[in-house]
Amino acid sequence: MKRITQGGAVSGVEERLRALFVRGLDGDAAAYRAFLDDLTRHLRGFLRKRIYYLQDDIEDVVQEILLAVHNSRHTYRPDEPLTAWVHAIARYKLMDFFRARSRREALNDPLDETLDIFATSDEEPADARRDIGKLLDQLPERHRLPIVHVKLQGLSVTETAALTGMSESAVKVGIHRGLKALAAKIRGTA
């Protein structure tokens, strides 16, 4: 949809399309069909220049624009250029297409590939171990040892009780109270 020039070829296209469209609005079905056929050819050219890298999608976008033109035909004001009105509709439909395409692509992105960028830090495990170690060092041994053995090393409560000389219930209480104390330290309320 090029800008209308005085006496140029585009002006002739504007006049032809406008005449067919207005006759179609007045009930001339053949004129309206001719308008849609001509407009389809112009829209394909318009879109081939703008989304040349998405040739497979051009026909879908053309159909969306034609449908919007048809559904909005009552909004056209005959004293305004038809091409400007159609261009505005086409521009909005093209933006809708890009929004829908980006949502579709985002939904199709495998999460594993996206999250790989966060899984390759060299410093993160060492930093986390150091930070946890500092926090655990602030706990009394009766809380620290059960957390280290059960939560970090993966031993069972029974194994930890045998290793530390504590009762199984003391190991469970130590984990519970220790984790509660760690949470308070992290929040800054301890």
Side-chain angles (χ1 to χ4, degrees), residues 62-123:
V62 166
Q63 295 305 314
E64 287 293 322
I65 295 169
L66 289 174
L67 187 59
V69 165
H70 177 75
N71 289 336
S72 302
R73 66 189 183 281
H74 65 280
T75 66
Y76 175 68
R77 294 189 311 216
D79 58 322
E80 292 184 5
L82 178 71
T83 51
W85 180 75
V86 170
H87 185 263
I89 292 171
R91 197 174 52 238
Y92 284 113
K93 284 299 171 184
L94 196 53
M95 297 314 320
D96 287 347
F97 165 76
F98 286 129
R99 277 191 292 272
R101 182 175 170 83
S102 67
R103 278 192 300 266
R104 232 181 8 253
E105 287 174 356
L107 290 174
N108 290 329
D109 283 346
L111 291 178
D112 294 340
E113 289 177 16
T114 305
L115 296 177
D116 280 348
I117 192 167
F118 298 114
T120 57
S121 173
D122 290 341
E123 297 177 15

Side-chain angles (χ1 to χ4, degrees), residues 141-143 145-146 157 160-171 174:
E141 193 171 281
R142 68 183 186 278
H143 296 154
L145 289 177
V157 171
T160 301
L163 185 64
T164 61
M166 300 169 74
S167 69
E168 289 185 23
S169 65
V171 170

Side-chain angles (χ1 to χ4, degrees), residues 11-170:
S11 179
V13 171
E14 163 74 22
E15 290 173 18
R16 174 176 161 64
L17 285 174
R18 188 179 172 287
L20 289 170
F21 185 65
V22 170
R23 285 192 355 233
L25 291 177
D26 290 337
D28 184 342
Y32 192 67
R33 181 71 196 153
F35 162 76
L36 291 175
D37 289 342
D38 284 0
L39 182 60
T40 298
R41 284 192 297 278
H42 289 286
L43 289 172
R44 283 185 188 126
F46 171 78
L47 293 171
R48 279 192 192 107
K49 291 179 192 172
R50 281 152 184 83
I51 56 173
Y52 57 88
Y53 50 93
L54 299 170
Q55 291 294 313
D56 294 340
D57 295 312
I58 288 176
E59 204 56 39
D60 291 339
V61 178
V62 166
Q63 295 305 314
E64 287 293 322
I65 295 169
L66 289 174
L67 187 59
V69 165
H70 177 75
N71 289 336
S72 302
R73 66 189 183 281
H74 65 280
T75 66
Y76 175 68
R77 294 189 311 216
D79 58 322
E80 292 184 5
L82 178 71
T83 51
W85 180 75
V86 170
H87 185 263
I89 292 171
R91 197 174 52 238
Y92 284 113
K93 284 299 171 184
L94 196 53
M95 297 314 320
D96 287 347
F97 165 76
F98 286 129
R99 277 191 292 272
R101 182 175 170 83
S102 67
R103 278 192 300 266
R104 232 181 8 253
E105 287 174 356
L107 290 174
N108 290 329
D109 283 346
L111 291 178
D112 294 340
E113 289 177 16
T114 305
L115 296 177
D116 280 348
I117 192 167
F118 298 114
T120 57
S121 173
D122 290 341
E123 297 177 15
E124 191 172 299
D127 289 347
R129 274 191 295 276
R130 186 187 68 242
D131 292 343
I132 290 173
K134 285 181 182 178
L135 286 169
L136 287 171
D137 286 344
Q138 298 175 25
L139 295 177
E141 193 171 281
R142 68 183 186 278
H143 296 154
R144 181 174 43 83
L145 289 177
I147 291 173
V148 169
H149 293 305
V150 174
K151 297 297 183 183
L152 298 178
Q153 294 176 349
L155 298 177
S156 69
V157 171
T158 304
E159 291 170 324
T160 301
L163 185 64
T164 61
M166 300 169 74
S167 69
E168 289 185 23
S169 65

